[in-house]
Every structure is written in C-alpha cells, then in structure tokens.
Amino acid sequence: MTRPLSVLVVDDEPLAVSQMRWLLEAEQQAAIVHTADSAAAAEQALRTEQIDVVLLDIHMPETSGLELARRLRDTPVIFVTADAQPAVEAFELEACDYLLKPVRAQRLSEALRRASAALTAVPPEAQRISVLQGDSTVLVDIRDIRWVQAQGDYARLHTVSGSYLLRAALSDLEQQWEELGFLRIHRSYLVNIHQVRRLLHRQSKLSVDLGDVHLEVSRRLAPAVRRRLEAR
C-alpha cells in the first residue's frame, strides 16, 4: 500500500490523544487523523469515515479496547497502552502491533508499516461492491454484508441497513470473498463468519445464529462449517 493512511486514534485520555496526534502529524505514512474518546465514538467514526488503521487504547470505561477489537473484523489494529499484561490476548486478536506508552516515533512508524502491509492483503477497492437500487448505484462495504441468499440468477446481500440484489452466482461470490471471511453453509446461503454469534444444534440439525435470523447448514457442509467456525 503506497497511499498514506487514514488513522483513527481511540483513547479516553485527552493528553494521550494529543500526544498521538502530534506524533502522527510528523509521520509521513499518516494522511488523516481521526480521534474518538470511547468505543462507541470509535464505532461511529468507523461507520462514517474511511479508516485504514485503528490506534487503540485497552483500558477504557464501559467497553474496553480488547472488546472493541473483537468487533473490528478486517480493520488493522495497533494497541497503544501503558499496560504490558494484555499483550498475549491482544496478539490472539491478530493485532498488527502493541505499543507501550510513552510511544516512540520510531516504533509508531514501524507499527504503521505493519498495518499498511496487512491492508495490501485485501485491496481497498475489493472491499466494496456496487449494486443497483432503483435507478441509483449504491456502494456496499462487503464487510457489512451479514449473509447472502441465492435468488435465481441473482444474489441478495443482507446488511443491517437493508438488502440489495446483485447479478452474481453464489459460487462466484464464495470464491471471491473467501479471504474476507465468507463461508458457504448451504447451497442457498453464504455467511460472513464475523457476524455469526453461535452454532445451534437442534433435532439433529445445525444452523448458524446471526442474532435476528437462523440459517440452516446443509448436512454435506456441516463438518467443514463446524471446523471453520470453531477455528475462529
């Protein structure tokens, strides 16, 4: 990735945010700096802004940085904290780096290089898809798609905000979106594994729980689905 990064700094301490902004202003790899003082504010920024990497404090009121990181899916995370103890858990969440306060400019630069390298695994342009909605074209972030349903020659993309029809075969989407975490569970369904809450076993049948909907898992695909979801 050659373009400078759009960075979101998440920390409930104003002084820590100011110090990180000062470091980032001198960092050539950072183009835009957004800030948030809580997990809720960070999630709002992630919905409204194009964020490449999150610099995330761990110890925050209400929702911790670790809890937030579990919900960030494909957005690279660099933890920034004064506490070395949660480092193991942080790396289990596949964090790009773990910086201890006070942060040195050299270490920040190294961490941003790692985040940039992580982003090249899935090009930003491949993370969005254009769909028709009436007479308009809408850009949908693939990571926001919860599940996909086959409908004849089309696929219906289900998101929190609504659903969209895309002229595509489910088998093609299965291959194209595998690296983004999509898994075939049935001849009619493809699910985003980051949206799956749990596997349900009822009356010898397996299904995935997405919160407001349960989707059946076919008997043929059940072993592979179980292995993939249990390995998350």
Side-chain angles (χ1 to χ4, degrees), residues 87-107:
V88 173
E89 186 175 357
F91 282 113
E92 286 176 352
L93 293 172
E94 299 182 352
C96 289
D97 212 330
Y98 193 98
L99 305 181
L100 287 175
K101 299 176 181 177
V103 177
R104 292 183 291 111
Q106 183 178 351
R107 280 291 287 119

Side-chain angles (χ1 to χ4, degrees), residues 51-225:
I51 304 297
D52 296 316
V53 58
V54 178
L55 296 177
L56 182 58
D57 186 26
I58 288 181
H59 299 295
M60 295 188 296
E62 297 183 6
T63 303
S64 73
L66 291 172
E67 291 177 84
L68 175 60
R70 293 188 185 98
R71 305 203 288 258
L72 292 188
R73 296 173 289 178
D74 299 311
T75 305
V77 171
I78 299 168
F79 284 106
V80 183
T81 179
D83 184 4
Q85 189 171 355
V88 173
E89 186 175 357
F91 282 113
E92 286 176 352
L93 293 172
E94 299 182 352
C96 289
D97 212 330
Y98 193 98
L99 305 181
L100 287 175
K101 299 176 181 177
V103 177
R104 292 183 291 111
Q106 183 178 351
R107 280 291 287 119
L108 175 61
S109 185
E110 178 184 339
L112 291 175
R113 280 195 296 272
R114 291 182 178 179
S116 182
L119 283 167
T120 61
V122 182
E125 61 269 19
Q127 295 180 3
R128 287 187 174 185
I129 190 165
S130 55
V131 296
L132 286 175
Q133 188 178 47
D135 57 357
S136 302
T137 299
V138 178
L139 284 176
V140 176
D141 192 325
I142 296 172
R143 295 170 299 181
D144 290 338
I145 299 170
R146 304 174 64 225
W147 58 288
V148 185
Q149 179 182 14
Q151 289 192 348
D153 295 332
Y154 290 82
R156 181 166 292 278
L157 315 179
H158 294 267
T159 71
V160 172
S161 58
S163 67
Y164 309 89
L165 275 177
L166 176 68
R167 190 175 182 86
L170 213 61
S171 56
D172 291 339
L173 298 181
E174 178 186 4
Q175 294 179 2
Q176 294 169 16
W177 295 353
E178 181 180 5
E179 290 186 358
L180 293 174
F182 283 80
L183 176 68
R184 188 72 169 264
I185 65 166
H186 188 279
R187 67 179 181 179
S188 299
Y189 305 132
L190 191 65
V191 299
N192 183 342
I193 64 172
H194 303 292
Q195 300 280 349
V196 175
R197 294 188 177 186
R198 56 180 175 164
L199 278 172
L200 298 175
H201 302 263
R202 292 176 180 169
Q203 299 178 345
S204 302
K205 292 184 179 180
L206 189 67
S207 63
V208 295
D209 176 11
L210 298 177
D212 59 341
V213 64
H214 295 167
L215 299 177
E216 179 185 353
V217 178
S218 71
R219 291 185 182 275
R220 180 178 65 85
L221 295 173
V225 170

